[in-house]
Coordinates of all heavy atoms in Angstrom, one line a residue:
T1 N 0.8 -1.2 0.0 CA 0.0 0.0 0.0 C 0.9 1.3 0.0 O 0.5 2.3 -0.6 CB -0.9 0.0 1.2 OG1 -1.7 -1.2 1.2 CG2 -1.9 1.2 1.2
R2 N 2.0 1.2 0.7 CA 2.9 2.4 0.7 C 3.7 2.5 -0.6 O 4.0 3.6 -1.0 CB 3.9 2.2 1.9 CG 3.3 2.4 3.2 CD 2.9 3.9 3.5 NE 2.4 4.1 4.8 CZ 3.2 4.4 5.9 NH1 4.5 4.6 5.7 NH2 2.6 4.5 7.1
I3 N 4.0 1.4 -1.2 CA 4.8 1.4 -2.4 C 4.0 1.9 -3.6 O 4.5 2.6 -4.5 CB 5.5 0.1 -2.7 CG1 6.6 -0.2 -1.7 CG2 6.0 0.0 -4.1 CD1 7.2 -1.6 -1.9
Q4 N 2.7 1.5 -3.7 CA 1.9 1.8 -4.8 C 1.9 3.3 -5.3 O 2.1 3.6 -6.4 CB 0.5 1.3 -4.5 CG -0.5 1.6 -5.6 CD -0.2 1.0 -6.9 OE1 0.4 0.0 -6.9 NE2 -0.5 1.6 -8.1
P5 N 1.7 4.2 -4.3 CA 1.8 5.6 -4.8 C 3.1 6.0 -5.4 O 3.1 6.9 -6.3 CB 1.5 6.4 -3.5 CG 0.8 5.5 -2.6 CD 1.4 4.1 -2.9
L6 N 4.2 5.4 -4.9 CA 5.5 5.7 -5.5 C 5.6 5.2 -6.9 O 6.2 5.9 -7.8 CB 6.6 5.1 -4.6 CG 6.6 5.5 -3.1 CD1 7.7 4.8 -2.4 CD2 6.8 7.0 -3.0
L7 N 5.1 4.1 -7.2 CA 5.1 3.5 -8.5 C 4.2 4.4 -9.5 O 4.5 4.6 -10.6 CB 4.7 2.1 -8.5 CG 5.6 1.1 -7.8 CD1 5.0 -0.3 -7.8 CD2 7.0 1.1 -8.5
A8 N 3.1 4.8 -8.9 CA 2.2 5.6 -9.7 C 2.9 6.9 -10.1 O 2.8 7.5 -11.2 CB 0.9 5.9 -9.0
T9 N 3.6 7.5 -9.1 CA 4.4 8.8 -9.4 C 5.5 8.6 -10.4 O 5.7 9.4 -11.2 CB 5.0 9.3 -8.1 OG1 3.9 9.4 -7.1 CG2 5.7 10.6 -8.3
S10 N 6.1 7.3 -10.4 CA 7.2 7.1 -11.4 C 6.6 6.9 -12.8 O 7.4 6.8 -13.7 CB 8.0 5.9 -10.9 OG 7.2 4.7 -11.0
G11 N 5.3 6.7 -12.9 CA 4.7 6.5 -14.2 C 4.4 5.1 -14.6 O 3.9 4.8 -15.7
Q12 N 4.8 4.1 -13.8 CA 4.5 2.7 -14.1 C 3.0 2.5 -14.1 O 2.5 1.7 -14.9 CB 5.3 1.8 -13.2 CG 5.0 0.3 -13.5 CD 5.9 -0.6 -12.7 OE1 6.7 -0.1 -11.9 NE2 5.7 -1.9 -12.8
F13 N 2.3 3.1 -13.2 CA 0.9 2.9 -13.1 C 0.2 4.3 -13.1 O 0.8 5.2 -12.5 CB 0.5 2.1 -11.8 CG 1.1 0.8 -11.7 CD1 2.1 0.5 -10.8 CD2 0.6 -0.2 -12.6 CE1 2.6 -0.8 -10.8 CE2 1.2 -1.5 -12.5 CZ 2.2 -1.8 -11.6
S14 N -0.9 4.4 -13.7 CA -1.6 5.6 -13.6 C -2.9 5.4 -12.8 O -3.4 4.3 -12.6 CB -2.0 6.1 -15.1 OG -2.7 5.1 -15.7
N15 N -3.5 6.6 -12.4 CA -4.7 6.5 -11.6 C -5.8 5.8 -12.2 O -6.7 5.2 -11.6 CB -5.1 7.9 -11.2 CG -4.0 8.5 -10.3 OD1 -3.3 7.8 -9.5 ND2 -3.9 9.9 -10.3
D16 N -5.9 5.9 -13.6 CA -7.0 5.3 -14.3 C -6.9 3.8 -14.4 O -7.8 3.1 -14.9 CB -7.2 5.9 -15.7 CG -6.0 5.7 -16.5 OD1 -5.0 5.2 -16.0 OD2 -6.1 5.9 -17.7
T17 N -5.8 3.2 -13.9 CA -5.7 1.8 -14.0 C -5.8 1.1 -12.6 O -5.5 -0.1 -12.5 CB -4.4 1.4 -14.6 OG1 -3.3 1.9 -13.8 CG2 -4.2 1.9 -16.0
E18 N -6.1 1.9 -11.6 CA -6.1 1.3 -10.2 C -7.2 0.2 -10.1 O -7.1 -0.7 -9.3 CB -6.3 2.4 -9.2 CG -5.1 3.3 -9.1 CD -5.3 4.3 -8.0 OE1 -6.4 4.3 -7.4 OE2 -4.3 5.1 -7.7
N19 N -8.3 0.4 -10.9 CA -9.4 -0.6 -10.8 C -9.2 -1.8 -11.7 O -10.0 -2.6 -11.9 CB -10.7 0.1 -11.1 CG -11.1 1.1 -10.1 OD1 -10.8 0.9 -8.9 ND2 -11.7 2.2 -10.5
G20 N -8.0 -1.8 -12.5 CA -7.7 -2.9 -13.3 C -7.9 -2.5 -14.8 O -8.6 -1.6 -15.2
Y21 N -7.2 -3.3 -15.6 CA -7.3 -3.1 -17.1 C -7.1 -4.4 -17.8 O -6.5 -5.3 -17.2 CB -6.3 -2.0 -17.6 CG -4.9 -2.2 -17.1 CD1 -4.1 -3.1 -17.8 CD2 -4.4 -1.6 -16.0 CE1 -2.8 -3.3 -17.4 CE2 -3.1 -1.8 -15.6 CZ -2.3 -2.7 -16.3 OH -1.0 -2.9 -15.9
Y22 N -7.4 -4.5 -19.0 CA -7.2 -5.7 -19.8 C -5.9 -5.6 -20.5 O -5.6 -4.6 -21.2 CB -8.4 -5.9 -20.8 CG -8.4 -7.3 -21.3 CD1 -8.9 -8.4 -20.5 CD2 -7.9 -7.7 -22.6 CE1 -9.0 -9.7 -21.0 CE2 -8.0 -8.9 -23.1 CZ -8.5 -10.0 -22.3 OH -8.5 -11.2 -22.7
C23 N -5.1 -6.6 -20.3 CA -3.7 -6.6 -20.8 C -3.4 -7.8 -21.7 O -3.7 -8.9 -21.3 CB -2.7 -6.5 -19.6 SG -1.0 -6.5 -20.1
S24 N -2.8 -7.6 -22.8 CA -2.3 -8.7 -23.7 C -0.8 -8.7 -23.7 O -0.2 -7.7 -24.1 CB -2.9 -8.5 -25.1 OG -4.3 -8.8 -25.1
L25 N -0.2 -9.7 -23.3 CA 1.2 -9.9 -23.3 C 1.6 -10.6 -24.6 O 1.1 -11.7 -24.9 CB 1.7 -10.7 -22.1 CG 3.2 -11.0 -22.1 CD1 4.0 -9.7 -21.8 CD2 3.6 -12.1 -21.2
I26 N 2.5 -9.9 -25.4 CA 2.9 -10.5 -26.7 C 4.4 -10.9 -26.5 O 5.2 -10.1 -26.1 CB 2.8 -9.4 -27.8 CG1 1.3 -9.1 -27.9 CG2 3.3 -10.0 -29.1 CD1 1.0 -7.8 -28.7
T27 N 4.7 -12.1 -26.9 CA 6.1 -12.6 -26.7 C 6.6 -13.1 -28.1 O 5.9 -13.9 -28.8 CB 6.1 -13.8 -25.8 OG1 5.5 -13.4 -24.5 CG2 7.5 -14.3 -25.5
A28 N 7.7 -12.6 -28.4 CA 8.4 -13.0 -29.6 C 9.6 -13.9 -29.2 O 10.5 -13.5 -28.5 CB 9.0 -11.8 -30.4
T29 N 9.6 -15.1 -29.7 CA 10.6 -16.1 -29.3 C 11.5 -16.4 -30.5 O 11.1 -16.9 -31.5 CB 10.0 -17.4 -28.8 OG1 9.1 -17.1 -27.7 CG2 11.0 -18.4 -28.3
L30 N 12.8 -16.1 -30.3 CA 13.8 -16.4 -31.3 C 14.3 -17.8 -31.2 O 15.1 -18.1 -30.3 CB 15.0 -15.4 -31.2 CG 16.1 -15.5 -32.3 CD1 15.5 -15.2 -33.7 CD2 17.2 -14.5 -32.0
K31 N 13.7 -18.7 -31.9 CA 13.9 -20.2 -31.8 C 15.3 -20.6 -32.2 O 15.8 -21.6 -31.7 CB 12.9 -21.0 -32.5 CG 11.5 -20.8 -32.0 CD 10.5 -21.6 -32.8 CE 10.6 -23.1 -32.3 NZ 10.1 -23.3 -31.0
N32 N 15.9 -19.9 -33.1 CA 17.3 -20.2 -33.5 C 18.4 -19.3 -32.9 O 19.4 -19.0 -33.5 CB 17.4 -20.2 -35.0 CG 17.2 -18.8 -35.6 OD1 16.4 -18.0 -35.0 ND2 17.7 -18.5 -36.8
R33 N 18.1 -18.9 -31.7 CA 19.0 -18.0 -30.9 C 20.4 -18.6 -30.8 O 21.4 -18.0 -31.0 CB 18.5 -17.6 -29.6 CG 19.4 -17.0 -28.6 CD 19.8 -15.6 -29.1 NE 20.7 -14.9 -28.2 CZ 22.0 -15.1 -28.1 NH1 22.6 -15.9 -28.9 NH2 22.7 -14.4 -27.2
K34 N 20.4 -19.9 -30.4 CA 21.7 -20.6 -30.2 C 22.5 -20.7 -31.5 O 23.7 -20.5 -31.6 CB 21.5 -22.0 -29.6 CG 22.8 -22.7 -29.2 CD 22.4 -24.0 -28.6 CE 23.7 -24.7 -28.1 NZ 24.7 -24.9 -29.2
S35 N 21.8 -21.1 -32.6 CA 22.5 -21.2 -33.9 C 23.1 -19.9 -34.4 O 24.1 -19.8 -35.0 CB 21.6 -21.9 -34.9 OG 20.5 -21.1 -35.2
L36 N 22.3 -18.8 -34.1 CA 22.8 -17.5 -34.5 C 24.1 -17.1 -33.8 O 25.0 -16.5 -34.3 CB 21.7 -16.4 -34.2 CG 20.5 -16.4 -35.2 CD1 19.5 -15.4 -34.7 CD2 21.0 -16.1 -36.6
G37 N 24.1 -17.5 -32.5 CA 25.3 -17.3 -31.7 C 26.5 -18.0 -32.2 O 27.7 -17.6 -32.1
D38 N 26.3 -19.2 -32.8 CA 27.4 -20.0 -33.4 C 27.8 -19.5 -34.7 O 29.0 -19.6 -35.1 CB 26.9 -21.5 -33.5 CG 26.6 -22.1 -32.2 OD1 27.2 -21.7 -31.2 OD2 25.8 -23.1 -32.1
Q39 N 26.9 -18.9 -35.5 CA 27.2 -18.4 -36.8 C 27.9 -17.0 -36.8 O 28.7 -16.8 -37.7 CB 25.9 -18.3 -37.7 CG 25.2 -19.7 -37.9 CD 23.9 -19.5 -38.6 OE1 23.5 -18.4 -39.0 NE2 23.1 -20.6 -38.6
L40 N 27.5 -16.2 -35.9 CA 27.9 -14.8 -35.9 C 28.9 -14.5 -34.8 O 28.8 -15.1 -33.7 CB 26.7 -13.8 -35.8 CG 25.6 -14.0 -36.8 CD1 24.5 -13.0 -36.5 CD2 26.2 -13.7 -38.2
N41 N 29.9 -13.7 -35.1 CA 30.8 -13.3 -34.0 C 30.0 -12.3 -33.1 O 28.9 -11.9 -33.4 CB 32.1 -12.6 -34.5 CG 31.8 -11.4 -35.4 OD1 30.9 -10.6 -35.2 ND2 32.6 -11.2 -36.4
H42 N 30.7 -11.9 -32.0 CA 30.0 -11.1 -31.0 C 29.6 -9.8 -31.5 O 28.4 -9.3 -31.3 CB 30.9 -10.9 -29.8 CG 30.3 -10.1 -28.7 ND1 29.3 -10.5 -27.8 CD2 30.6 -8.8 -28.3 CE1 29.0 -9.6 -27.0 NE2 29.7 -8.5 -27.3
E43 N 30.4 -9.1 -32.3 CA 30.1 -7.8 -32.8 C 28.9 -7.9 -33.8 O 28.0 -7.0 -33.7 CB 31.3 -7.3 -33.6 CG 31.1 -5.8 -34.1 CD 32.4 -5.3 -34.8 OE1 33.5 -6.0 -34.7 OE2 32.3 -4.3 -35.4
N44 N 28.9 -8.8 -34.7 CA 27.8 -8.9 -35.6 C 26.5 -9.3 -35.0 O 25.4 -8.9 -35.3 CB 28.1 -9.9 -36.7 CG 29.2 -9.4 -37.7 OD1 29.3 -8.2 -37.9 ND2 29.9 -10.3 -38.3
L45 N 26.6 -10.2 -33.9 CA 25.4 -10.6 -33.2 C 24.8 -9.4 -32.4 O 23.6 -9.2 -32.4 CB 25.8 -11.7 -32.2 CG 24.6 -12.3 -31.5 CD1 23.7 -13.1 -32.5 CD2 25.1 -13.3 -30.4

């Protein structure tokens, strides 16, 4: 309860979302991440 106003002040939460909102989390998964690390050097990666 004490932390919540501090987060709202920081901009993470706004007053209009205190009662809840509908959120969709979108995740992009790079399935060939390991093979890219093997193919490319650190700078190009």
Side-chain angles (χ1 to χ4, degrees):
T1 305
R2 288 290 184 92
I3 289 178
Q4 176 59 30
L6 301 179
L7 294 177
T9 303
S10 67
Q12 181 174 354
F13 301 108
S14 58
N15 293 331
D16 60 348
T17 62
E18 290 184 356
N19 294 326
Y21 52 83
Y22 196 76
C23 178
S24 290
L25 178 73
I26 300 162
T27 303
T29 303
L30 184 59
K31 296 184 73 70
N32 62 333
R33 169 67 177 83
K34 186 178 183 305
S35 62
L36 288 175
D38 296 335
Q39 295 172 12
L40 305 175
N41 59 35
H42 179 74
E43 182 179 350
N44 289 332
L45 189 63

